[in-house]
Amino acid sequence: MQNMVILGATGSIGASTLSVISANPLAYSIYGLVANASVDKMLALCVAHKPKVAHMVDEEAAKQLRAVLPAALNIQVTTGINDLLGLVTAAEVDTVMAAIVGAAGLVPTLEAVKAGKRVLLANKEALVMSGELFIEATKRSGAVLLPVDSEHNAIFQCLPLEVQANLGRCDLAASGISHILLTGSGGPFLRSDLATLAAMTPAQACKHPNWSMGPKISVDSATMMNKGLEFIEARWLFNTQAEQLKVVIHPQSVIHSMVQYRDGSVIAQMGNPDMRTPIAHCMAYPQRIHSGVEPLDFFKVGQLSFYEPDFERFPCLALAMEACAQGQEATTVLNAANEVAVEAFLQGQIGFTQIAKVNEACLVTVPKRPMGCIEDILALDAQTRVYARETLASIA
Ligand code: NAD
Ligand code: MG
């Protein structure tokens, strides 16, 4: 029996994780659920799943939850960073699903890593911000890190055991691997007339053709910043050189990524686009459990197609690859800028194509200094957000 904490329990990955747990009640139990502020959703999850602890990051939300939660459930409601860190490091906890969206996920995820937990990593922004430090902490504590992001999970499944066992420090060439092929659908605007992009609305950007996800990652998929963040995530997880990593547009999202070997073999992982598959894989690894996902029907799929990415259409992808080449300061700046820009777009403050403009302005302008610890990373993140908000004000 694995005892789990779910960070980001009220989100899209949280829901898929809870669904896989419900399908395997004898193998998993829920120790803690963590969310930001949505009291109604957390209340419903508490009633359905009966965790020992429900943690709300927002203090007011914690008060409201305490007031409405039936006492008979005997669930402890906590708030505040100390309780959050205490929850992910608690001795009773074996596994932490890291599925808070954005930079807010970094500190609790890293704490779970330091405590040597089995960490199922959906929160890609944590690695984008703190890659080297994160991998180092994993090695030091002996934490088992398993990638939930569908592409990284696919790559993981296509890699030899010696690489799987040595994430972050592996030597791909020594294992006969020539390239990692990171696939991406191209999102909702893959075929839209370029002239129409500036006027695209949040509702249009969030309407992904294949995946159902939270709003931030949906917008990131429309700009392909998501693939850029994943490029950086792959760089850290698989210890890649830039030339070992290629982005391939694959609109059907049936192949979730591939590994190309020296002898000409290419191994791909396939399945329906449903996050319950990579989540179930991480939860049970190295075993296999039921996820509730329909088997892939190749006769329904019919065709698979592949294209090179178009950097004119997707400038955010180019920016992320450039930041990845520059190093961790640049990727931290880009991530923070992008969070501010995407939020502003979702709030109707800026247009779709202005997201890339804000990101580029921050990447060029924010002074980057060497970062030796988590505090340095958080300070650069905060400084970038200030600059990004000034940039918003000047273009809005
Ligand atoms: P979502 O918006 O649906 O849910 C976000 C969750 O994070 C919610 O539970 C929310 O309460 C919580 N949260 C938000 N701000 C917080 C804060 N400041 N402190 C603590 N909790 C906070 O997002 P999602 O789509 O589930 O994505 C979650 C993470 O997983 C993201 O990093 C995303 O990139 C990654 N991911 C998602 C998918 C997907 O299919 N949804 C796929 C791959 C990776
Ligand atoms: Mg992904």
Side-chain angles (χ1 to χ4, degrees):
M1 182 69 111
Q2 272 183 56
N3 222 358
M4 293 185 62
V5 166
I6 303 176
L7 302 174
T10 54
S12 160
I13 293 287
S16 294
T17 306
L18 288 164
S19 154
V20 177
I21 294 175
S22 298
N24 298 274
L26 299 180
Y28 304 93
S29 67
I30 301 167
Y31 186 79
L33 297 177
V34 177
N36 187 25
S38 25
V39 176
D40 292 349
K41 280 189 189 166
M42 185 59 111
L43 175 62
L45 295 185
C46 284
V47 170
H49 299 282
K50 304 182 181 57
K52 297 261 180 310
V53 182
H55 183 94
M56 301 301 291
V57 169
D58 184 280
E59 264 181 55
E60 194 48 42
K63 274 189 206 152
Q64 290 174 19
L65 183 65
R66 268 187 213 112
V68 290
L69 202 60
L73 289 176
N74 204 14
I75 296 172
Q76 192 188 350
V77 178
T78 60
T79 187
I81 185 71
N82 290 339
D83 281 355
L84 176 56
L85 301 187
L87 176 60
V88 294
T89 57
E92 295 90 332
V93 174
D94 308 298
T95 302
V96 175
M97 165 56 81
I100 289 173
V101 60
L106 173 59
V107 170
T109 304
L110 194 57
E111 203 65 17
V113 163
K114 286 185 188 159
K117 302 298 183 193
R118 182 180 170 102
V119 176
L120 318 187
L121 185 69
N123 173 238
K124 63 194 86 187
E125 295 91 343
L127 263 185
V128 168
M129 293 171 74
S130 74
E132 178 63 35
L133 218 117
F134 196 95
I135 295 295
E136 237 178 71
T138 309
K139 296 297 156 192
R140 224 178 297 130
S141 70
V144 174
L145 185 63
L146 292 160
V148 171
D149 209 348
S150 59
E151 295 76 5
H152 305 73
N153 184 267
I155 294 162
F156 183 91
Q157 294 197 45
C158 299
L159 287 169
L161 282 179
E162 80 261 14
V163 176
Q164 291 185 349
N166 196 22
L167 281 190
R169 295 277 182 262
C170 46
D171 182 343
L172 295 182
S175 293
I177 293 157
S178 55
H179 291 99
I180 283 180
L181 307 178
L182 186 65
T183 55
S185 68
F189 304 150
L190 180 64
R191 307 253 176 262
S192 311
D193 185 340
L194 282 184
T196 64
L197 291 187
M200 290 298 183
T201 64
Q204 287 169 308
C206 287
K207 203 163 176 289
H208 197 281
N210 308 331
W211 296 94
S212 151
M213 310 180 284
K216 194 259 177 181
I217 184 174
S218 295
V219 175
D220 283 349
S221 297
T223 61
M224 279 200 85
M225 176 57 92
N226 183 48
K227 211 49 53 187
L229 298 177
E230 291 180 354
F231 188 92
I232 301 162
E233 184 186 11
R235 182 256 170 274
W236 291 112
L237 282 174
F238 308 115
N239 197 20
T240 55
Q241 309 295 317
E243 65 279 1
Q244 290 175 310
L245 205 46
K246 287 185 187 167
V247 174
V248 177
I249 305 279
H250 164 50
Q252 294 87 0
S253 300
V254 166
I255 291 178
H256 300 307
S257 278
M258 302 179 260
V259 176
Q260 195 157 37
Y261 286 80
R262 184 180 292 150
D263 61 6
S265 304
V266 180
I267 303 187
Q269 187 265 359
M270 294 180 240
N272 285 317
D274 186 321
M275 288 306 293
R276 288 176 299 173
T277 295
I279 290 168
H281 173 264
C282 290
M283 282 169 58
Y285 178 80
Q287 283 157 8
R288 299 277 179 173
I289 53 173
H290 287 289
S291 65
V293 175
E294 288 291 308
L296 182 62
D297 182 341
F298 279 92
F299 301 119
K300 271 196 197 141
V301 170
Q303 283 197 329
L304 301 179
S305 43
F306 307 93
Y307 306 93
E308 273 188 59
D310 170 356
F311 293 111
E312 192 192 343
R313 177 177 298 272
F314 299 116
C316 284
L317 176 59
L319 286 175
M321 290 166 77
E322 166 62 25
C324 189
Q326 285 181 31
Q328 207 175 313
E329 297 80 28
T331 59
T332 298
V333 166
L334 185 64
N335 181 66
N338 185 59
E339 284 189 30
V340 172
V342 169
E343 185 57 30
F345 169 68
L346 285 168
Q347 301 295 327
Q349 289 167 25
I350 60 170
F352 180 74
T353 45
Q354 286 172 320
I355 296 172
K357 302 271 182 260
V358 175
N359 291 344
E360 187 176 9
C362 290
L363 192 58
V364 171
T365 312
V366 176
K368 299 171 198 78
R369 43 191 168 164
M371 301 189 299
C373 60
I374 186 82
E375 288 73 22
D376 292 343
I377 293 171
L378 296 175
L380 184 59
D381 174 272
Q383 189 190 349
T384 304
R385 283 167 199 265
V386 172
Y387 184 78
R389 289 196 186 100
E390 285 168 16
T391 311
L392 287 180
S394 70
I395 63 174

